[in-house]
Amino acid sequence: SKFDLYLEMFVMPDSLYGALEYATDLFERTTIERLLSSYATLLEGIVADPERRVSELALLSTDERRQIVVERNATAADYASDKCVHELFAAQAAKTPDAVAVTHDDGQLNYGELDRRSNQLAHYLRTLGVRRETVVGLCMERSLDLVVGLLGIFKAGGAYLPLDPNYPPQRLAYMVEDAKASVLLTQSTLAGVLPDYNGKIVRLDADGAEIEAQPETQLASGVRPDNLAYVIYTSGSTGRPKGVMGQHRGIVNRVAAQQDIAPLSEVDRCAQKTSIGFVDSIFELIGPLLCGSQLTIAGEEAAKSPDELVSLLEWARITRLVSVPSLAAAMLAVPRADRRLDMLRSWTLSGEALSGDLLEQLSSALPSCRFVNLYGSTEVAADATCHLAEGGEGRSVPIGSPIANVQAYVLDGNLEPVPVGVAGELHIGGAGLARGYVGRAGMTAERFIPNPFGEGGRLYRTGDLGRQLPEGGIAYAGRRDHQVKIRGFRIELGEVEAALLAHVDVRQAVVVVREDAPGEKRLVGYMVGDADSAVLREHVKQYVPDYMVPSVFVQLDELPLTPSGKIDRLALPAPAEGLRHEEVGRALPLTTVEELLAGIWAEVLQVERVGLNDDFFELGGHSLVAARITARVRDSFGIELPVRALLEATTVARLAERLEQALREEHGSPLPALVAQAHTGALPLSFAQERLWFLEQLEELGGAYHLPLRFRLEGELDLAALGRTFDELIRRHGSLRTRFEMHDSGPMQVIEPDAPFRLAVTDLSMLDASEQSREIERISQDELRRPFDL
């Protein structure tokens, strides 16, 4: 028999002889040659050391190993390795003091003003004891003060701890305590969201007079490149978030590497819209300011809404953008996005896998824009590898090669490099590595290991899988654990499970990511217990941010187990199959607008049904889903509904009111009147009908447009009522009166006029059970062999 891959080995008197046969439509010749080379190297290793374990034997020849380990990681490049972030900013401010540095709804600051204000804040923080390695909490709304605060902390010598005001108070309190923040920098407007804190609190607005009394001169901080720059908390598998300690060296190298990839200049306009709680915000904020570019801080609306963001980018004439691919896809769905974003010259995509299809859509919509695919994490100063994406990449776009002064290795379990094309765990080394995790020496030692390929240094074990590509670069191949990314958010499922298990009525819980529709990832929580889904959702929100709250909760009698007794995640049912809690007494849509809206919500949110008062966010909605819903509303109603409307009117009932008002203003009525169209004679086939017609030719269905249905009714049968039911169904649905005809121009559809349905009745009550079954089967087969006669 023939196999896709077939190896024959023959034992000769003093040697082995082999032949490999392969399917040329599945494998390239170069792939087979690499496979044979690795096999030959393995055999040589066995001969040289027969007692050695097979897992410890090399698969790479000396030349191949040198190419993968050394040549592909020859990334050494000059950069300001003796400087810190604030020193480079001060140099840029001295160079272009009058150039606009940062803009926001509340005004703008030029480089000189930003430098002086951050100097004053640094002096004030110094009076509060901020020195090198001092952690300062930064809890700020999106504003000019956010940038002043960040630079002021750096200039005082401290490291910033980003505290997103939208996080649960309990999570914020844990982060402040765990990081041992001695000062909290904030604004008076956020007093209600700050955790209980006994340390020093600085309010940039309320304490403005004292801060402005400080000197405007530079402060000698004494900070070195290996000192702490930030403590950013990421989701933790143990149920608690973990703080990553990043250094100035990593940020400075990342900005310098960008100048080799897609240089920033003083003519560029950049946008900042990522929460400061995520490492991507570092480059969004710091990169432009170290290169003399103009930075626009997006407001809360633009940061959450794709269409508001497109409007901001268009108004501010933004030339450089950083986003996750899922946000890019949502922005493309905004009306006229291609024309409104034609000023973009560079779009950096990171945070999640970039598909070839999305890259093609972006390249087609914005042919003058350059797209860069980056890979990294908080532990490696945001980014470690880079690929200049140019289309034609296939299903998945490579994550590319290591950036300047960074190394990327794909290793097996023995920390040996794997051959080209073979999956292994990605390990990152070089200038971008963080110091480790706050207060977790064991985890730091486990994830930051000695570098076996260099003199000293460490490697970060990412947990991500990758493959070396023949032409160079690396392809992303998934995860080796339960960490996931949804819309660019890094989520440890164990932390969400711990939040669920903290509820008194939950006995067991497991959280998974499901992709029941292509490209639509969502968190689903499965639990054994008696808690209501609405109660669970509010409970989990006390522990984790909104993006970590499951969109669906499924109640099970027990969790499926593998033969070894572990939870069988692959056997968990789809949400519709579980005993999902539904709102008791759910109000159903009444008007046409409400019914259409509920249908759109159900389809996009992937739920069985939506009631009038079901909340968009409780159903798993977020801003990117909102963008898809508004696009569907535009297609269905011909009305441009901003995403903001859905984020404010979060139920079908409230959104329907807004939509009906817009329809009245546009058409003078809640819905434009439908005009009945007469369908007579032969008509062209729709796309779906073409498929049915094609199947008919294959299956010889005898001209039937619809197959007869077989179903069972129990109870007393009113034949007259049943006949009237079929009559009404056929009258209302022209598809039930449609048949195909072949014409000179091809197959056509013909809709028969309305006529009474002839209901054939066969009484089987005189037959026993086995005879009834045989007769039913015979009648059914007869019906299948002849056209469906109306």
Side-chain angles (χ1 to χ4, degrees), residues 55-122:
S55 61
E56 298 173 354
L57 293 170
L59 290 173
L60 297 173
S61 67
T62 302
D63 289 343
E64 289 172 323
R65 183 183 178 90
R66 182 180 65 255
Q67 181 191 59
I68 288 178
V69 173
V70 180
E71 295 177 8
R72 294 194 177 194
N73 286 292
T75 61
D78 290 334
Y79 75 106
S81 58
D82 60 337
K83 300 294 183 183
C84 296
V85 173
H86 52 283
E87 294 172 325
L88 294 176
F89 170 76
Q92 181 62 51
K95 180 181 176 183
T96 58
D98 298 324
V100 176
V102 57
T103 68
H104 181 61
D105 296 340
D106 56 356
Q108 67 179 37
L109 293 172
N110 62 33
Y111 273 87
E113 292 168 334
L114 180 57
D115 189 42
R116 291 189 292 273
R117 284 188 56 179
S118 56
N119 285 341
Q120 290 175 319
L121 177 59

Coordinates of all heavy atoms in Angstrom, one line a residue, residues 55-122:
S55 N 16.4 10.6 23.7 CA 16.0 12.0 23.8 C 17.1 13.0 24.0 O 16.9 14.2 23.8 CB 15.0 12.1 25.1 OG 15.7 11.8 26.2
E56 N 18.3 12.5 24.3 CA 19.4 13.4 24.5 C 20.3 13.5 23.3 O 21.3 14.2 23.3 CB 20.3 12.9 25.7 CG 19.5 12.9 27.1 CD 20.3 12.2 28.2 OE1 21.4 11.7 27.9 OE2 19.8 12.3 29.3
L57 N 20.0 12.7 22.3 CA 20.8 12.7 21.1 C 20.5 13.9 20.2 O 19.3 14.4 20.1 CB 20.6 11.4 20.3 CG 21.1 10.2 21.0 CD1 20.7 8.9 20.2 CD2 22.7 10.2 21.1
A58 N 21.5 14.4 19.5 CA 21.3 15.6 18.6 C 20.6 15.2 17.4 O 20.7 14.1 16.8 CB 22.6 16.2 18.3
L59 N 19.8 16.2 16.9 CA 19.1 16.0 15.6 C 19.7 17.0 14.5 O 19.4 16.9 13.4 CB 17.6 16.3 15.7 CG 16.8 15.2 16.4 CD1 15.4 15.7 16.6 CD2 16.8 13.9 15.7
L60 N 20.5 17.9 15.0 CA 21.1 18.9 14.1 C 22.6 18.7 13.9 O 23.3 18.3 14.8 CB 20.9 20.3 14.7 CG 19.5 20.8 14.9 CD1 19.5 22.1 15.7 CD2 18.8 21.0 13.6
S61 N 23.0 18.8 12.7 CA 24.5 18.8 12.4 C 25.1 20.0 12.9 O 24.5 21.0 13.3 CB 24.7 18.7 10.9 OG 24.3 19.9 10.2
T62 N 26.4 20.0 13.0 CA 27.2 21.2 13.5 C 26.8 22.4 12.7 O 26.6 23.5 13.3 CB 28.7 20.9 13.4 OG1 29.0 19.7 14.2 CG2 29.5 22.1 14.0
D63 N 26.8 22.3 11.4 CA 26.5 23.5 10.6 C 25.0 24.0 10.9 O 24.8 25.2 10.9 CB 26.6 23.2 9.1 CG 28.1 23.0 8.7 OD1 29.0 23.5 9.5 OD2 28.4 22.4 7.7
E64 N 24.1 23.1 10.9 CA 22.7 23.5 11.2 C 22.5 24.1 12.6 O 21.8 25.1 12.7 CB 21.8 22.2 11.1 CG 21.6 21.7 9.7 CD 20.8 20.4 9.7 OE1 21.0 19.6 10.6 OE2 20.0 20.2 8.7
R65 N 23.2 23.5 13.5 CA 23.1 24.1 14.9 C 23.7 25.5 14.9 O 23.1 26.4 15.5 CB 23.9 23.2 15.9 CG 23.8 23.7 17.3 CD 24.6 22.8 18.2 NE 24.6 23.2 19.6 CZ 23.7 22.8 20.5 NH1 22.8 21.9 20.1 NH2 23.7 23.3 21.7
R66 N 24.8 25.7 14.3 CA 25.5 27.0 14.2 C 24.5 28.1 13.5 O 24.4 29.2 14.0 CB 26.8 27.0 13.5 CG 27.5 28.4 13.5 CD 28.8 28.3 12.8 NE 28.7 28.0 11.3 CZ 29.0 26.9 10.8 NH1 29.4 25.9 11.5 NH2 28.8 26.7 9.5
Q67 N 23.9 27.6 12.5 CA 23.0 28.5 11.8 C 21.8 28.9 12.6 O 21.5 30.1 12.7 CB 22.5 27.9 10.5 CG 21.5 28.8 9.7 CD 20.8 28.0 8.6 OE1 20.1 27.1 8.8 NE2 21.0 28.5 7.3
I68 N 21.2 28.0 13.3 CA 20.0 28.3 14.1 C 20.3 29.0 15.4 O 19.6 30.0 15.8 CB 19.2 27.0 14.4 CG1 18.5 26.4 13.2 CG2 18.2 27.2 15.5 CD1 17.8 25.1 13.3
V69 N 21.4 28.6 16.1 CA 21.7 29.1 17.4 C 22.5 30.4 17.3 O 22.2 31.4 18.0 CB 22.5 28.1 18.2 CG1 23.0 28.8 19.5 CG2 21.7 26.9 18.5
V70 N 23.4 30.5 16.4 CA 24.3 31.7 16.3 C 23.9 32.7 15.2 O 23.6 33.8 15.5 CB 25.8 31.2 16.1 CG1 26.7 32.4 16.0 CG2 26.2 30.3 17.2
E71 N 23.8 32.2 14.0 CA 23.6 33.1 12.9 C 22.3 33.8 12.9 O 22.1 35.0 12.6 CB 23.8 32.4 11.5 CG 25.2 31.9 11.3 CD 25.4 31.1 10.0 OE1 24.4 31.1 9.2 OE2 26.4 30.5 9.8
R72 N 21.2 33.0 13.3 CA 19.9 33.6 13.3 C 19.7 34.6 14.5 O 18.7 35.3 14.6 CB 18.8 32.6 13.3 CG 18.7 31.8 12.0 CD 17.5 31.0 11.9 NE 17.4 30.3 10.6 CZ 16.3 29.7 10.2 NH1 15.1 29.8 10.9 NH2 16.3 29.1 9.0
N73 N 20.6 34.5 15.5 CA 20.6 35.4 16.6 C 21.7 36.4 16.7 O 22.0 36.9 17.8 CB 20.6 34.5 17.9 CG 19.2 33.8 18.1 OD1 18.2 34.5 18.4 ND2 19.2 32.5 18.0
A74 N 22.3 36.6 15.6 CA 23.4 37.6 15.5 C 22.7 39.0 15.4 O 22.7 39.6 14.3 CB 24.3 37.4 14.3
T75 N 22.3 39.6 16.5 CA 21.4 40.8 16.4 C 22.1 42.0 17.1 O 21.5 43.0 17.4 CB 20.1 40.5 17.1 OG1 20.3 40.1 18.5 CG2 19.3 39.4 16.4
A76 N 23.4 41.8 17.5 CA 24.1 42.9 18.2 C 24.0 44.2 17.4 O 24.3 44.2 16.2 CB 25.5 42.5 18.5
A77 N 23.6 45.3 18.1 CA 23.5 46.6 17.5 C 23.8 47.6 18.6 O 23.5 47.4 19.7 CB 22.2 46.8 16.9
D78 N 24.4 48.8 18.1 CA 24.6 49.9 19.1 C 23.3 50.5 19.5 O 22.4 50.7 18.7 CB 25.5 50.9 18.4 CG 26.9 50.4 18.2 OD1 27.3 49.5 19.0 OD2 27.6 50.9 17.3
Y79 N 23.2 50.9 20.8 CA 22.1 51.7 21.2 C 22.6 52.4 22.5 O 23.7 52.1 23.0 CB 20.8 50.8 21.5 CG 20.9 50.0 22.7 CD1 20.1 50.3 23.9 CD2 21.7 48.8 22.8 CE1 20.2 49.5 25.0 CE2 21.7 48.0 23.9 CZ 21.0 48.3 25.0 OH 21.0 47.6 26.1
A80 N 21.8 53.3 23.0 CA 22.2 54.1 24.2 C 22.1 53.2 25.5 O 21.2 53.4 26.3 CB 21.3 55.3 24.3
S81 N 22.9 52.2 25.6 CA 22.9 51.2 26.6 C 23.2 51.8 28.0 O 23.0 51.2 29.0 CB 23.8 50.1 26.3 OG 25.1 50.5 26.2
D82 N 23.8 53.0 28.0 CA 24.2 53.7 29.3 C 23.1 54.7 29.7 O 23.4 55.4 30.7 CB 25.5 54.3 29.2 CG 25.6 55.4 28.1 OD1 24.7 55.4 27.2 OD2 26.5 56.3 28.2
K83 N 22.0 54.8 29.0 CA 21.0 55.8 29.3 C 19.7 55.2 29.8 O 19.4 54.0 29.5 CB 20.7 56.7 28.0 CG 21.9 57.4 27.4 CD 22.4 58.5 28.4 CE 23.6 59.2 27.7 NZ 24.1 60.3 28.7
C84 N 19.0 56.1 30.5 CA 17.6 55.7 31.0 C 16.6 56.4 30.2 O 16.9 57.4 29.5 CB 17.5 55.9 32.5 SG 18.6 55.0 33.5
V85 N 15.3 56.0 30.4 CA 14.2 56.6 29.6 C 14.2 58.1 29.7 O 14.1 58.9 28.8 CB 12.9 55.9 30.0 CG1 11.7 56.7 29.3 CG2 12.9 54.5 29.7
H86 N 14.2 58.6 31.0 CA 14.0 60.0 31.2 C 15.2 60.8 30.7 O 15.0 62.0 30.3 CB 13.8 60.3 32.7 CG 14.8 59.7 33.6 ND1 14.8 58.4 33.9 CD2 15.8 60.3 34.2 CE1 15.9 58.1 34.7 NE2 16.5 59.3 34.9
E87 N 16.3 60.3 30.7 CA 17.5 61.0 30.2 C 17.4 61.2 28.7 O 17.7 62.3 28.1 CB 18.8 60.2 30.5 CG 19.1 60.2 32.0 CD 20.2 59.2 32.3 OE1 20.4 58.2 31.6 OE2 21.0 59.5 33.2
L88 N 16.9 60.2 28.0 CA 16.7 60.3 26.5 C 15.6 61.3 26.2 O 15.6 62.1 25.2 CB 16.4 59.0 25.9 CG 17.6 58.0 26.0 CD1 17.1 56.6 25.4 CD2 18.8 58.5 25.2
F89 N 14.5 61.3 27.0 CA 13.4 62.3 26.8 C 14.0 63.7 27.0 O 13.6 64.6 26.3 CB 12.3 62.0 27.8 CG 11.3 63.1 27.7 CD1 10.4 63.3 26.7 CD2 11.2 64.1 28.8 CE1 9.5 64.3 26.6 CE2 10.3 65.2 28.7 CZ 9.5 65.3 27.6
A90 N 14.8 63.9 28.1 CA 15.3 65.3 28.4 C 16.1 65.8 27.2 O 16.1 66.9 26.8 CB 16.1 65.2 29.7
A91 N 16.9 64.9 26.6 CA 17.7 65.2 25.4 C 16.8 65.6 24.3 O 17.1 66.6 23.6 CB 18.6 64.1 25.1
Q92 N 15.7 64.9 24.0 CA 14.8 65.2 23.0 C 14.1 66.6 23.2 O 13.9 67.4 22.3 CB 13.8 64.1 22.8 CG 12.8 64.4 21.6 CD 13.5 64.5 20.3 OE1 14.3 63.6 19.9 NE2 13.2 65.5 19.5
A93 N 13.7 66.8 24.5 CA 13.1 68.1 24.8 C 14.0 69.2 24.6 O 13.6 70.3 24.2 CB 12.6 68.0 26.3
A94 N 15.3 69.1 24.9 CA 16.2 70.2 24.7 C 16.4 70.4 23.2 O 16.7 71.6 22.8 CB 17.6 69.8 25.3
K95 N 16.3 69.4 22.4 CA 16.5 69.5 20.9 C 15.3 70.2 20.3 O 15.4 71.0 19.4 CB 16.7 68.1 20.4 CG 16.9 68.1 18.9 CD 17.1 66.6 18.4 CE 17.2 66.6 16.9 NZ 17.3 65.2 16.4
T96 N 14.0 69.9 20.7 CA 12.8 70.4 20.1 C 11.9 70.9 21.1 O 10.7 70.4 21.3 CB 12.1 69.3 19.2 OG1 11.8 68.2 20.1 CG2 13.0 68.8 18.1
P97 N 12.2 71.9 21.9 CA 11.4 72.4 23.0 C 10.0 72.9 22.6 O 9.1 72.9 23.3 CB 12.2 73.4 23.7 CG 13.2 73.9 22.6 CD 13.4 72.7 21.8
D98 N 9.9 73.5 21.4 CA 8.7 74.1 21.0 C 7.8 73.2 20.2 O 6.7 73.6 19.8 CB 9.0 75.4 20.1 CG 9.8 76.4 20.9 OD1 9.5 76.6 22.1 OD2 10.7 77.1 20.4
A99 N 8.2 72.0 19.8 CA 7.4 71.1 19.1 C 6.3 70.5 20.0 O 6.5 70.3 21.2 CB 8.3 70.0 18.5
V100 N 5.2 70.3 19.4 CA 4.1 69.7 20.2 C 4.4 68.2 20.6 O 4.8 67.4 19.7 CB 2.7 69.7 19.4 CG1 1.7 68.9 20.2 CG2 2.3 71.1 19.1
A101 N 4.4 68.0 21.9 CA 4.7 66.6 22.4 C 3.5 65.7 22.5 O 3.5 64.6 22.1 CB 5.5 66.7 23.7
V102 N 2.5 66.3 23.2 CA 1.3 65.4 23.5 C 0.1 66.3 23.4 O 0.0 67.4 23.9 CB 1.5 64.7 24.9 CG1 1.7 65.8 26.0 CG2 0.3 63.9 25.2
T103 N -1.0 65.7 22.9 CA -2.3 66.4 22.8 C -3.4 65.5 23.4 O -3.2 64.2 23.4 CB -2.7 66.7 21.4 OG1 -3.0 65.5 20.6 CG2 -1.6 67.5 20.7
H104 N -4.4 66.1 23.9 CA -5.6 65.4 24.4 C -6.8 66.3 24.4 O -6.6 67.5 24.1 CB -5.3 64.9 25.8 CG -6.5 64.1 26.4 ND1 -6.9 63.0 25.9 CD2 -7.2 64.4 27.5 CE1 -7.9 62.5 26.7 NE2 -8.1 63.4 27.6
D105 N -7.9 65.8 24.7 CA -9.1 66.7 24.7 C -8.9 67.9 25.6 O -9.5 69.0 25.4 CB -10.4 65.9 25.2 CG -10.7 64.8 24.2 OD1 -10.3 64.9 23.0 OD2 -11.4 63.8 24.6
D106 N -8.1 67.8 26.7 CA -7.9 68.8 27.6 C -6.8 69.8 27.3 O -6.4 70.6 28.1 CB -7.7 68.3 29.1 CG -6.6 67.3 29.1 OD1 -6.0 67.0 28.1 OD2 -6.3 66.9 30.3
G107 N -6.3 69.7 26.1 CA -5.2 70.6 25.6 C -4.0 70.0 25.0 O -4.1 68.8 24.6
Q108 N -2.9 70.6 25.1 CA -1.6 70.1 24.6 C -0.4 70.7 25.3 O -0.5 71.7 26.0 CB -1.5 70.4 23.1 CG -1.3 71.8 22.7 CD -1.1 72.1 21.2 OE1 -1.8 71.4 20.4 NE2 -0.3 73.0 20.9
L109 N 0.7 69.9 25.2 CA 1.9 70.4 25.8 C 3.0 70.2 24.8 O 3.1 69.2 24.1 CB 2.3 69.5 27.1 CG 1.4 69.6 28.3 CD1 1.8 68.6 29.3 CD2 1.4 71.0 28.9
N110 N 3.9 71.2 24.7 CA 5.1 71.0 23.9 C 6.1 70.3 24.7 O 6.0 70.1 25.9 CB 5.5 72.3 23.2 CG 6.0 73.4 24.3 OD1 6.5 73.0 25.3 ND2 5.8 74.6 24.0
Y111 N 7.2 70.0 24.0 CA 8.3 69.2 24.7 C 8.9 70.0 25.9 O 9.2 69.4 26.9 CB 9.4 68.8 23.7 CG 9.1 67.5 22.9 CD1 8.3 67.5 21.8 CD2 9.5 66.3 23.4 CE1 8.0 66.4 21.1 CE2 9.2 65.1 22.8 CZ 8.5 65.1 21.6 OH 8.2 64.0 21.0
G112 N 9.1 71.3 25.7 CA 9.6 72.1 26.8 C 8.7 72.1 28.0 O 9.1 71.9 29.2
E113 N 7.4 72.3 27.8 CA 6.4 72.3 28.9 C 6.3 71.0 29.6 O 6.3 70.9 30.8 CB 5.1 72.7 28.3 CG 5.0 74.2 27.8 CD 3.7 74.5 27.0 OE1 3.2 73.5 26.5 OE2 3.3 75.6 27.0
L114 N 6.3 69.9 28.8 CA 6.2 68.6 29.4 C 7.5 68.3 30.2 O 7.4 67.7 31.3 CB 6.1 67.5 28.3 CG 6.0 66.1 28.7 CD1 4.8 65.9 29.7 CD2 5.8 65.2 27.5
D115 N 8.6 68.7 29.7 CA 9.9 68.5 30.4 C 9.9 69.2 31.8 O 10.2 68.7 32.8 CB 11.1 69.0 29.6 CG 12.4 68.6 30.2 OD1 12.5 67.4 30.7 OD2 13.3 69.4 30.2
R116 N 9.4 70.5 31.8 CA 9.4 71.3 33.0 C 8.4 70.8 34.0 O 8.7 70.7 35.2 CB 9.2 72.8 32.6 CG 10.3 73.4 31.9 CD 10.1 74.9 31.8 NE 8.9 75.3 30.9 CZ 9.0 75.4 29.6 NH1 10.2 75.2 29.0 NH2 8.0 75.7 28.8
R117 N 7.2 70.4 33.5 CA 6.2 70.0 34.5 C 6.6 68.6 35.1 O 6.4 68.4 36.3 CB 4.8 69.8 33.8 CG 4.1 71.2 33.5 CD 2.7 70.9 33.0 NE 1.9 70.1 33.8 CZ 0.6 69.8 33.6 NH1 0.1 70.3 32.5 NH2 0.0 69.1 34.4
S118 N 7.2 67.7 34.3 CA 7.6 66.5 34.9 C 8.8 66.6 35.8 O 8.9 65.9 36.8 CB 7.9 65.5 33.8 OG 8.9 66.0 32.9
N119 N 9.6 67.7 35.6 CA 10.7 68.0 36.5 C 10.2 68.4 37.9 O 10.7 68.0 38.9 CB 11.6 69.1 35.9 CG 12.5 68.6 34.8 OD1 12.8 67.4 34.7 ND2 13.0 69.5 34.0
Q120 N 9.2 69.3 37.8 CA 8.6 69.8 39.1 C 8.0 68.6 39.9 O 8.1 68.5 41.1 CB 7.5 70.8 38.8 CG 8.1 72.1 38.3 CD 6.9 73.1 37.9 OE1 5.9 72.7 37.2 NE2 7.1 74.4 38.2
L121 N 7.3 67.7 39.2 CA 6.7 66.5 39.8 C 7.8 65.7 40.4 O 7.7 65.1 41.6 CB 5.8 65.7 38.9 CG 5.2 64.5 39.4 CD1 4.3 64.8 40.7 CD2 4.4 63.7 38.4
A122 N 8.9 65.5 39.7 CA 10.0 64.7 40.2 C 10.6 65.2 41.5 O 10.8 64.5 42.5 CB 11.1 64.6 39.2

